PDB file of all heavy atoms in Angstrom:
ATOM      1  N   VAL R 278       7.867  19.206  32.985  1.00 98.00           N
ATOM      2  CA  VAL R 278       7.838  17.941  33.717  1.00 98.00           C
ATOM      3  C   VAL R 278       9.059  17.856  34.599  1.00 98.00           C
ATOM      4  O   VAL R 278       8.838  17.447  35.786  1.00 98.00           O
ATOM      5  CB  VAL R 278       7.937  16.701  32.677  1.00 98.00           C
ATOM      6  CG1 VAL R 278       8.195  15.425  33.447  1.00 98.00           C
ATOM      7  CG2 VAL R 278       6.627  16.682  31.879  1.00 98.00           C
ATOM      8  N   GLU R 279      10.210  18.344  34.250  1.00 97.00           N
ATOM      9  CA  GLU R 279      11.429  18.152  35.076  1.00 97.00           C
ATOM     10  C   GLU R 279      11.365  19.128  36.306  1.00 97.00           C
ATOM     11  O   GLU R 279      12.094  18.938  37.278  1.00 97.00           O
ATOM     12  CB  GLU R 279      12.620  18.352  34.244  1.00 97.00           C
ATOM     13  CG  GLU R 279      12.873  17.270  33.250  1.00 97.00           C
ATOM     14  CD  GLU R 279      14.226  17.437  32.594  1.00 97.00           C
ATOM     15  OE1 GLU R 279      14.968  18.398  32.752  1.00 97.00           O
ATOM     16  OE2 GLU R 279      14.601  16.363  31.913  1.00 97.00           O
ATOM     17  N   ARG R 280      10.530  20.083  36.233  1.00 97.00           N
ATOM     18  CA  ARG R 280      10.352  20.959  37.375  1.00 97.00           C
ATOM     19  C   ARG R 280       9.100  20.582  38.295  1.00 97.00           C
ATOM     20  O   ARG R 280       8.754  21.230  39.162  1.00 97.00           O
ATOM     21  CB  ARG R 280      10.105  22.437  36.903  1.00 97.00           C
ATOM     22  CG  ARG R 280      11.300  23.140  36.385  1.00 97.00           C
ATOM     23  CD  ARG R 280      11.025  24.534  35.955  1.00 97.00           C
ATOM     24  NE  ARG R 280      12.226  25.324  35.659  1.00 97.00           N
ATOM     25  CZ  ARG R 280      12.989  25.201  34.576  1.00 97.00           C
ATOM     26  NH1 ARG R 280      12.534  24.411  33.545  1.00 97.00           N
ATOM     27  NH2 ARG R 280      14.017  25.881  34.364  1.00 97.00           N
ATOM     28  N   ASP R 281       8.481  19.386  37.899  1.00 98.00           N
ATOM     29  CA  ASP R 281       7.301  18.888  38.695  1.00 98.00           C
ATOM     30  C   ASP R 281       6.233  20.000  38.800  1.00 98.00           C
ATOM     31  O   ASP R 281       5.705  20.280  39.821  1.00 98.00           O
ATOM     32  CB  ASP R 281       7.712  18.458  40.022  1.00 98.00           C
ATOM     33  CG  ASP R 281       8.515  17.153  39.932  1.00 98.00           C
ATOM     34  OD1 ASP R 281       8.275  16.380  38.988  1.00 98.00           O
ATOM     35  OD2 ASP R 281       9.348  16.876  40.835  1.00 98.00           O
ATOM     36  N   CYS R 282       5.861  20.626  37.602  1.00 98.00           N
ATOM     37  CA  CYS R 282       4.977  21.689  37.551  1.00 98.00           C
ATOM     38  C   CYS R 282       3.501  21.193  37.677  1.00 98.00           C
ATOM     39  O   CYS R 282       2.587  21.850  38.142  1.00 98.00           O
ATOM     40  CB  CYS R 282       5.087  22.433  36.287  1.00 98.00           C
ATOM     41  SG  CYS R 282       6.599  23.380  36.118  1.00 98.00           S
ATOM     42  N   PHE R 283       3.345  19.927  37.272  1.00 98.00           N
ATOM     43  CA  PHE R 283       1.965  19.315  37.245  1.00 98.00           C
ATOM     44  C   PHE R 283       1.880  18.044  38.053  1.00 98.00           C
ATOM     45  O   PHE R 283       2.772  17.185  37.925  1.00 98.00           O
ATOM     46  CB  PHE R 283       1.552  19.099  35.811  1.00 98.00           C
ATOM     47  CG  PHE R 283       1.626  20.224  34.913  1.00 98.00           C
ATOM     48  CD1 PHE R 283       2.219  20.011  33.606  1.00 98.00           C
ATOM     49  CD2 PHE R 283       1.190  21.429  35.163  1.00 98.00           C
ATOM     50  CE1 PHE R 283       2.355  20.941  32.741  1.00 98.00           C
ATOM     51  CE2 PHE R 283       1.331  22.541  34.302  1.00 98.00           C
ATOM     52  CZ  PHE R 283       1.926  22.267  33.076  1.00 98.00           C
ATOM     53  N   ASP R 284       0.809  17.873  38.867  1.00 98.00           N
ATOM     54  CA  ASP R 284       0.490  16.580  39.355  1.00 98.00           C
ATOM     55  C   ASP R 284      -0.072  15.709  38.367  1.00 98.00           C
ATOM     56  O   ASP R 284       0.036  14.552  38.282  1.00 98.00           O
ATOM     57  CB  ASP R 284      -0.450  16.727  40.511  1.00 98.00           C
ATOM     58  CG  ASP R 284       0.226  17.372  41.711  1.00 98.00           C
ATOM     59  OD1 ASP R 284       1.151  16.931  42.327  1.00 98.00           O
ATOM     60  OD2 ASP R 284      -0.255  18.566  42.043  1.00 98.00           O
ATOM     61  N   ILE R 285      -0.879  16.414  37.455  1.00 98.00           N
ATOM     62  CA  ILE R 285      -1.456  15.672  36.256  1.00 98.00           C
ATOM     63  C   ILE R 285      -1.273  16.523  35.016  1.00 98.00           C
ATOM     64  O   ILE R 285      -1.705  17.659  34.945  1.00 98.00           O
ATOM     65  CB  ILE R 285      -3.044  15.546  36.610  1.00 98.00           C
ATOM     66  CG1 ILE R 285      -3.270  14.658  37.810  1.00 98.00           C
ATOM     67  CG2 ILE R 285      -3.743  14.895  35.312  1.00 98.00           C
ATOM     68  CD1 ILE R 285      -4.752  14.499  38.161  1.00 98.00           C
ATOM     69  N   GLY R 286      -0.663  15.898  34.004  1.00 98.00           N
ATOM     70  CA  GLY R 286      -0.386  16.524  32.826  1.00 98.00           C
ATOM     71  C   GLY R 286      -1.517  16.381  31.862  1.00 98.00           C
ATOM     72  O   GLY R 286      -2.297  15.306  31.947  1.00 98.00           O
ATOM     73  N   GLN R 287      -1.780  17.277  30.909  1.00 98.00           N
ATOM     74  CA  GLN R 287      -2.883  17.195  30.018  1.00 98.00           C
ATOM     75  C   GLN R 287      -2.422  17.376  28.562  1.00 98.00           C
ATOM     76  O   GLN R 287      -2.716  18.327  27.855  1.00 98.00           O
ATOM     77  CB  GLN R 287      -3.909  18.343  30.334  1.00 98.00           C
ATOM     78  CG  GLN R 287      -4.402  18.244  31.699  1.00 98.00           C
ATOM     79  CD  GLN R 287      -5.284  19.427  32.103  1.00 98.00           C
ATOM     80  OE1 GLN R 287      -4.763  20.445  32.343  1.00 98.00           O
ATOM     81  NE2 GLN R 287      -6.634  19.192  32.264  1.00 98.00           N
ATOM     82  N   PRO R 288      -1.704  16.345  28.036  1.00 98.00           N
ATOM     83  CA  PRO R 288      -1.400  16.307  26.603  1.00 98.00           C
ATOM     84  C   PRO R 288      -2.666  16.144  25.729  1.00 98.00           C
ATOM     85  O   PRO R 288      -3.620  15.651  26.246  1.00 98.00           O
ATOM     86  CB  PRO R 288      -0.366  15.131  26.416  1.00 98.00           C
ATOM     87  CG  PRO R 288      -0.836  14.216  27.638  1.00 98.00           C
ATOM     88  CD  PRO R 288      -1.184  15.153  28.751  1.00 98.00           C
ATOM     89  N   ASP R 289      -2.517  16.537  24.505  1.00 98.00           N
ATOM     90  CA  ASP R 289      -3.737  16.521  23.581  1.00 98.00           C
ATOM     91  C   ASP R 289      -3.317  15.731  22.385  1.00 98.00           C
ATOM     92  O   ASP R 289      -2.305  16.173  21.637  1.00 98.00           O
ATOM     93  CB  ASP R 289      -4.236  17.950  23.234  1.00 98.00           C
ATOM     94  CG  ASP R 289      -5.399  17.960  22.318  1.00 98.00           C
ATOM     95  OD1 ASP R 289      -5.663  17.080  21.629  1.00 98.00           O
ATOM     96  OD2 ASP R 289      -6.239  18.909  22.655  1.00 98.00           O
ATOM     97  N   GLY R 290      -3.966  14.694  22.045  1.00 98.00           N
ATOM     98  CA  GLY R 290      -3.590  13.802  20.862  1.00 98.00           C
ATOM     99  C   GLY R 290      -3.932  14.489  19.521  1.00 98.00           C
ATOM    100  O   GLY R 290      -3.553  13.833  18.510  1.00 98.00           O
ATOM    101  N   ALA R 291      -4.407  15.715  19.516  1.00 98.00           N
ATOM    102  CA  ALA R 291      -4.498  16.502  18.364  1.00 98.00           C
ATOM    103  C   ALA R 291      -3.700  17.712  18.302  1.00 98.00           C
ATOM    104  O   ALA R 291      -3.701  18.490  17.288  1.00 98.00           O
ATOM    105  CB  ALA R 291      -5.994  16.855  18.146  1.00 98.00           C
ATOM    106  N   PHE R 292      -2.845  17.975  19.256  1.00 98.00           N
ATOM    107  CA  PHE R 292      -2.164  19.175  19.401  1.00 98.00           C
ATOM    108  C   PHE R 292      -0.671  19.009  19.860  1.00 98.00           C
ATOM    109  O   PHE R 292       0.220  19.777  19.490  1.00 98.00           O
ATOM    110  CB  PHE R 292      -2.868  20.129  20.336  1.00 98.00           C
ATOM    111  CG  PHE R 292      -2.334  21.516  20.390  1.00 98.00           C
ATOM    112  CD1 PHE R 292      -2.531  22.502  19.294  1.00 98.00           C
ATOM    113  CD2 PHE R 292      -1.689  22.093  21.423  1.00 98.00           C
ATOM    114  CE1 PHE R 292      -2.025  23.697  19.280  1.00 98.00           C
ATOM    115  CE2 PHE R 292      -1.155  23.330  21.522  1.00 98.00           C
ATOM    116  CZ  PHE R 292      -1.334  24.185  20.437  1.00 98.00           C
ATOM    117  N   THR R 293      -0.467  18.169  20.812  1.00 98.00           N
ATOM    118  CA  THR R 293       0.881  18.014  21.412  1.00 98.00           C
ATOM    119  C   THR R 293       2.002  17.801  20.399  1.00 98.00           C
ATOM    120  O   THR R 293       3.112  18.228  20.654  1.00 98.00           O
ATOM    121  CB  THR R 293       0.812  16.824  22.441  1.00 98.00           C
ATOM    122  OG1 THR R 293      -0.096  17.068  23.455  1.00 98.00           O
ATOM    123  CG2 THR R 293       2.137  16.525  23.044  1.00 98.00           C
ATOM    124  N   GLY R 294       1.792  17.183  19.269  1.00 98.00           N
ATOM    125  CA  GLY R 294       2.772  16.978  18.235  1.00 98.00           C
ATOM    126  C   GLY R 294       2.695  15.676  17.557  1.00 98.00           C
ATOM    127  O   GLY R 294       3.312  15.402  16.660  1.00 98.00           O
ATOM    128  N   GLY R 295       1.675  14.845  17.943  1.00 98.00           N
ATOM    129  CA  GLY R 295       1.534  13.537  17.361  1.00 98.00           C
ATOM    130  C   GLY R 295       1.056  12.555  18.369  1.00 98.00           C
ATOM    131  O   GLY R 295       1.343  12.785  19.633  1.00 98.00           O
ATOM    132  N   LEU R 296       0.434  11.434  17.989  1.00 98.00           N
ATOM    133  CA  LEU R 296       0.225  10.387  19.058  1.00 98.00           C
ATOM    134  C   LEU R 296       1.484   9.802  19.586  1.00 98.00           C
ATOM    135  O   LEU R 296       1.488   9.437  20.799  1.00 98.00           O
ATOM    136  CB  LEU R 296      -0.591   9.278  18.343  1.00 98.00           C
ATOM    137  CG  LEU R 296      -2.150   9.558  18.255  1.00 98.00           C
ATOM    138  CD1 LEU R 296      -2.459  10.861  17.418  1.00 98.00           C
ATOM    139  CD2 LEU R 296      -2.866   8.314  17.544  1.00 98.00           C
ATOM    140  N   GLY R 297       2.538   9.726  18.795  1.00 98.00           N
ATOM    141  CA  GLY R 297       3.786   9.348  19.295  1.00 98.00           C
ATOM    142  C   GLY R 297       4.313  10.277  20.408  1.00 98.00           C
ATOM    143  O   GLY R 297       4.891   9.769  21.405  1.00 98.00           O
ATOM    144  N   ASP R 298       4.325  11.536  20.161  1.00 98.00           N
ATOM    145  CA  ASP R 298       4.768  12.540  21.180  1.00 98.00           C
ATOM    146  C   ASP R 298       3.735  12.481  22.369  1.00 98.00           C
ATOM    147  O   ASP R 298       4.363  12.688  23.478  1.00 98.00           O
ATOM    148  CB  ASP R 298       4.752  13.912  20.563  1.00 98.00           C
ATOM    149  CG  ASP R 298       6.118  14.399  20.095  1.00 98.00           C
ATOM    150  OD1 ASP R 298       7.004  13.485  19.907  1.00 98.00           O
ATOM    151  OD2 ASP R 298       6.303  15.523  19.915  1.00 98.00           O
ATOM    152  N   PHE R 299       2.590  12.225  22.150  1.00 98.00           N
ATOM    153  CA  PHE R 299       1.714  12.090  23.403  1.00 98.00           C
ATOM    154  C   PHE R 299       2.166  10.998  24.272  1.00 98.00           C
ATOM    155  O   PHE R 299       2.287  11.187  25.451  1.00 98.00           O
ATOM    156  CB  PHE R 299       0.197  11.817  22.932  1.00 98.00           C
ATOM    157  CG  PHE R 299      -0.863  11.637  23.995  1.00 98.00           C
ATOM    158  CD1 PHE R 299      -1.675  12.647  24.130  1.00 98.00           C
ATOM    159  CD2 PHE R 299      -0.810  10.598  24.814  1.00 98.00           C
ATOM    160  CE1 PHE R 299      -2.722  12.523  25.175  1.00 98.00           C
ATOM    161  CE2 PHE R 299      -1.730  10.418  25.828  1.00 98.00           C
ATOM    162  CZ  PHE R 299      -2.708  11.443  26.012  1.00 98.00           C
ATOM    163  N   MET R 300       2.557   9.860  23.665  1.00 98.00           N
ATOM    164  CA  MET R 300       2.956   8.745  24.539  1.00 98.00           C
ATOM    165  C   MET R 300       4.349   9.051  25.119  1.00 98.00           C
ATOM    166  O   MET R 300       4.589   8.643  26.304  1.00 98.00           O
ATOM    167  CB  MET R 300       3.082   7.449  23.604  1.00 98.00           C
ATOM    168  CG  MET R 300       1.808   7.042  22.963  1.00 98.00           C
ATOM    169  SD  MET R 300       0.536   6.630  24.167  1.00 98.00           S
ATOM    170  CE  MET R 300       1.280   5.244  24.995  1.00 98.00           C
ATOM    171  N   LYS R 301       5.197   9.846  24.449  1.00 98.00           N
ATOM    172  CA  LYS R 301       6.456  10.232  25.101  1.00 98.00           C
ATOM    173  C   LYS R 301       6.231  11.138  26.347  1.00 98.00           C
ATOM    174  O   LYS R 301       6.889  11.026  27.297  1.00 98.00           O
ATOM    175  CB  LYS R 301       7.337  10.886  24.110  1.00 98.00           C
ATOM    176  CG  LYS R 301       7.935   9.971  22.960  1.00 98.00           C
ATOM    177  CD  LYS R 301       8.739  10.746  21.910  1.00 98.00           C
ATOM    178  CE  LYS R 301       9.129   9.873  20.837  1.00 98.00           C
ATOM    179  NZ  LYS R 301       9.860  10.560  19.728  1.00 98.00           N
ATOM    180  N   VAL R 302       5.268  12.057  26.143  1.00 98.00           N
ATOM    181  CA  VAL R 302       4.910  13.049  27.288  1.00 98.00           C
ATOM    182  C   VAL R 302       4.430  12.214  28.400  1.00 98.00           C
ATOM    183  O   VAL R 302       4.718  12.416  29.610  1.00 98.00           O
ATOM    184  CB  VAL R 302       3.979  14.085  26.811  1.00 98.00           C
ATOM    185  CG1 VAL R 302       3.361  14.873  28.002  1.00 98.00           C
ATOM    186  CG2 VAL R 302       4.664  15.046  25.784  1.00 98.00           C
ATOM    187  N   ALA R 303       3.359  11.169  28.201  1.00 98.00           N
ATOM    188  CA  ALA R 303       2.892  10.446  29.113  1.00 98.00           C
ATOM    189  C   ALA R 303       3.976   9.603  29.921  1.00 98.00           C
ATOM    190  O   ALA R 303       3.920   9.450  31.132  1.00 98.00           O
ATOM    191  CB  ALA R 303       1.813   9.468  28.546  1.00 98.00           C
ATOM    192  N   ALA R 304       4.964   9.139  29.175  1.00 98.00           N
ATOM    193  CA  ALA R 304       6.087   8.345  29.773  1.00 98.00           C
ATOM    194  C   ALA R 304       6.924   9.280  30.616  1.00 98.00           C
ATOM    195  O   ALA R 304       7.409   8.790  31.738  1.00 98.00           O
ATOM    196  CB  ALA R 304       6.849   7.654  28.681  1.00 98.00           C
TER     197      ALA R 304
END
Side-chain angles (χ1 to χ4, degrees):
V278 172
E279 291 187 351
R280 286 178 170 82
D281 290 327
C282 294
F283 309 132
D284 296 293
I285 297 178
Q287 296 174 291
D289 186 326
F292 188 73
T293 297
L296 279 57
D298 262 19
F299 183 108
M300 297 302 295
K301 292 175 183 176
V302 169

